[in-house]
Amino acid sequence: MAPVAIETVSSDTPSIFTYENPSKRIFPDGIKTSGQFDPNHDDIKPYDDFPQEITGPTVWTADDYAKQPQQWTRRFSEEEVKEMSDAADAFIASETPLTGITKNKFPLPIMESFLGAIRNEILNGKGFILFKGFPVQAWGNHKSAVAYMGLGTYLGYFVSQNGLGHVLGHVKDVGADPSQTDKVRIYRTTARQFFHADDCDIVGLLCVARALEGGESDIVSCHHVFNTLQREHPDVAKTLCEPIWYWDRKGEISVGQEPYMRQPVFYKETGTDGRVYCKWDPYYVHSLKRFWEAGIIPPLSEAQEKAARILEETCLRLSLHMVLEVGDIQFLSNSQVLHSRTAYKDFPPPAPRRHLMRLWLATPEDEGGWKLPFPDSKHKKRGGVQVDDTPPKALLDAE
């Protein structure tokens, strides 16, 4: 049998993005998540090329929105709920695997136009929106997952979120030990998540069940944070722009990859007049102690420790707080927004544990995404976490 071409790419794209599978389609929608990469270090701009102050709609303060939720929330109408319901029912009846869902297989003719405008606002504006009124309790987990992933296809291409290939993530306490930072992903615990960006362009969170206490969301404009650091701590801003930060893969490694990456926290887009882009998660930086102790990579310098501390303090001071109710969906951009979660306590059994369904979505630069200094910037499913040819999975609950 002749090989089946899963995706055709240009000759200047790294070969990891070309797939041939003579026996079966491992990736039902025909596209594989590219996974984590070191940046193209030749494309990393020095601190002196960064602006002293960023302006425009990506710069906002908590005061801009705290008392005006109508500017960042949108309730689904009855007509829109029906359209999602009908599309979900038709998709389920088709018996197509959930990992094969695409925009063409989930038609939303009424919603498509405004979803395009929202996508643009997420990518190029304030960077977030909170949808309300998604009938997750009435639909149950299966239909809700279908409708949620179908909705997500209008914003980006779903990517794998971990080494197991999960494209529908479940933010839920599974009893993991948050102190084991080199092995455990913090979203699988009740611990606080410090301000961070996920390894994708847009992250979505659908609230299925709330916690008894805590588990609330804080978000902040990276560009407002950057401007504040430039004014108050220019030495910290400079340190965060330097490609001296090692990033842990936490064992989610493909053949031939190092167990860590090296990169800055603040980048600039490629080309002229590139925007400032942020990539940060302190858990992936501080979990590298095993490599420091073995002398494989240098430990954090005093300047880096200071920068990490001041970055977190500044984010917390400038952040917008929000609470996700059951049926709310938060979408936000990881390019210009950092987000965090407070620690939480679940209801005692038999009440359900706090549960958010998570989507990681990619927006390649050829389709309006940011022009990033990474080798997969034009790949449809750029970013994410991909280990070798692990197939995608869309489970209806945490495993």
Side-chain angles (χ1 to χ4, degrees), residues 33-297:
T33 298
S34 62
Q36 298 171 311
F37 281 88
D38 283 288
N40 297 322
H41 283 271
D42 289 344
D43 291 329
I44 292 178
K45 306 297 184 184
Y47 172 70
D48 289 345
D49 284 2
F50 281 73
Q52 187 62 35
E53 182 177 14
I54 301 169
T55 59
T58 60
V59 182
W60 52 265
T61 70
D63 289 341
D64 292 335
Y65 295 118
K67 295 182 179 180
Q68 300 185 73
Q70 71 278 6
Q71 293 193 18
W72 49 273
T73 61
R74 188 186 191 283
R75 181 168 292 275
F76 291 117
S77 68
E78 291 184 7
E79 183 182 42
E80 291 162 355
V81 169
K82 183 179 185 305
E83 183 171 67
M84 289 189 289
S85 178
D86 290 346
D89 289 341
F91 183 85
I92 292 169
S94 74
E95 299 185 350
T96 302
L98 187 49
T99 52
I101 198 167
T102 62
K103 186 164 32 172
N104 291 337
K105 294 178 180 177
F106 198 85
L108 297 174
I110 296 172
M111 302 173 67
E112 183 169 10
S113 176
F114 88 77
L115 288 173
I118 285 172
R119 180 182 187 270
N120 182 64
E121 176 65 17
I122 293 172
L123 291 177
N124 302 306
K126 62 181 176 292
F128 67 98
I129 188 169
L130 185 69
F131 284 113
K132 303 185 79 68
F134 188 91
V136 62
Q137 292 179 319
W139 285 352
N141 279 11
H142 184 197
K143 182 172 178 177
S144 293
V146 171
Y148 177 43
M149 288 190 70
L151 180 69
T153 64
Y154 286 79
L155 302 179
Y157 299 93
F158 61 80
V159 298
S160 171
Q161 303 176 28
N162 56 32
L164 300 174
H166 293 169
V167 295
L168 179 62
H170 297 279
V171 180
K172 192 173 188 178
D173 178 33
V174 296
D177 181 356
S179 68
Q180 301 295 311
T181 56
D182 60 326
K183 303 179 182 71
V184 170
R185 299 279 293 274
I186 298 300
Y187 73 88
R188 294 165 67 83
T189 76
T190 62
R192 167 169 170 74
Q193 283 188 290
F194 298 107
F195 282 92
H196 66 283
D198 292 319
D199 245 324
C200 61
D201 294 298
I202 297 173
V203 58
L205 293 169
L206 163 61
C207 183
V208 178
R210 282 195 59 185
L212 171 63
E213 299 173 0
E216 298 176 356
S217 179
D218 291 293
I219 65 173
V220 69
S221 161
C222 295
H223 289 171
H224 182 33
V225 170
F226 183 84
N227 289 346
T228 302
L229 293 176
Q230 287 282 61
R231 290 194 305 271
E232 299 177 357
H233 302 281
D235 60 321
V236 167
K238 183 176 186 297
T239 299
L240 294 171
C241 292
E242 296 173 344
I244 57 175
W245 299 84
Y246 286 87
W247 184 283
D248 197 355
R249 293 184 188 272
K250 295 196 176 186
E252 296 175 316
I253 307 167
S254 292
V255 172
Q257 291 182 330
E258 296 283 358
Y260 46 78
M261 299 164 286
R262 180 173 62 87
Q263 55 203 19
V265 175
F266 287 114
Y267 300 76
K268 287 191 70 179
E269 285 184 289
T270 58
T272 57
D273 300 321
R275 294 170 291 185
V276 175
Y277 166 80
C278 184
K279 183 179 176 67
W280 173 247
D281 189 329
Y283 280 110
Y284 283 79
V285 173
H286 289 106
S287 64
L288 290 162
K289 184 178 179 181
R290 63 197 188 280
F291 296 112
W292 304 341
E293 292 176 342
I296 297 173
I297 60 174

Side-chain angles (χ1 to χ4, degrees), residues 347-365:
F347 286 97
R353 288 172 288 168
R354 178 182 185 269
H355 182 192
L356 305 181
M357 290 186 186
R358 185 174 70 178
L359 289 178
W360 280 7
L361 302 171
T363 58
E365 68 172 77

Side-chain angles (χ1 to χ4, degrees), residues 26-28 99 160 163-167 386-393:
I26 296 176
F27 306 97
T99 52
S160 171
L164 300 174
H166 293 169
V167 295
Q386 180 69 42
V387 175
D388 298 317
D389 282 338
T390 301
K393 296 179 183 177

